[in-house]
Amino acid sequence: MNTKLPYHRYHLALLTSLFDTLRAQTVLMAQVPEESNELFLERFEELITQLEAGDQDALYNGQEIICQVISRYPQVAHLIPRDLLWYFGGDCLHFMPDEEIAQYQLLDEHMAEATARGEEFNWEQARQLLMSQARS
């Protein structure tokens, strides 16, 4: 995993933001035993460190963490950026409708084509454009 690619940095920023949001949800965290919550947040923070280091296993750990956020804190599941579900894939894709998966597959194809041509690909900008076209 190339941690210098804008695609990777973009998703790492989304994950870090989600982590900060969860950590700030003190009322929500009171619903889960404190020790369990602390351990979960430690694992989440460890995931961020793994991704920063380019550890390939982080993608599997990310699937688990994101799915646990949804099951542990369903009231904040809507705060998980859809891009993270796609980025981690696997079990996370169960939380995406088929139409949305098709859009992300198209984005991946566009990124692969741009990379093959040696062009830089702005994932965030391309995603926004594709999603706005889908709504029209």
Side-chain angles (χ1 to χ4, degrees):
M1 160 186 331
N2 185 347
T3 59
K4 293 185 179 9
L5 290 176
Y7 175 78
H8 178 75
R9 288 193 318 263
Y10 168 72
H11 289 90
L12 185 58
L14 289 177
L15 190 65
T16 301
S17 177
L18 177 61
F19 174 74
D20 291 341
T21 299
L22 286 177
R23 195 173 46 189
Q25 297 289 325
T26 54
V27 172
L28 171 68
M29 300 308 176
Q31 298 173 2
V32 179
E34 188 174 320
E35 183 178 328
S36 170
N37 184 51
E38 286 178 22
L39 291 173
F40 177 73
L41 289 176
E42 285 174 17
R43 287 185 51 236
F44 199 129
E45 194 167 27
E46 195 174 291
L47 169 64
I48 293 170
T49 302
Q50 288 176 322
L51 281 170
E52 289 171 338
D55 183 349
Q56 199 65 30
D57 289 339
L59 295 177
Y60 300 109
N61 296 337
Q63 287 178 35
E64 184 182 335
I65 294 288
I66 295 298
C67 289
Q68 284 185 10
V69 169
I70 293 168
S71 65
R72 290 168 71 92
Y73 315 112
Q75 55 276 57
V76 296
H78 67 282
L79 298 175
I80 298 172
R82 310 302 290 169
D83 287 6
L84 288 178
L85 296 174
W86 180 255
Y87 181 70
F88 288 114
D91 288 340
C92 294
L93 299 180
H94 294 296
F95 301 103
M96 298 176 77
D98 291 342
E99 303 81 33
E100 190 175 28
I101 289 173
Q103 290 175 330
Y104 278 96
Q105 286 173 328
L106 186 58
L107 272 173
D108 269 355
E109 291 170 15
H110 290 309
M111 183 171 66
E113 290 167 2
T115 302
R117 291 189 304 265
E119 299 172 0
E120 192 169 314
F121 184 80
N122 185 322
W123 175 270
E124 184 177 11
Q125 188 177 47
R127 183 189 59 76
Q128 288 174 350
L129 178 63
L130 184 64
M131 300 303 173
S132 67
Q133 289 173 347
R135 282 185 285 238
S136 300

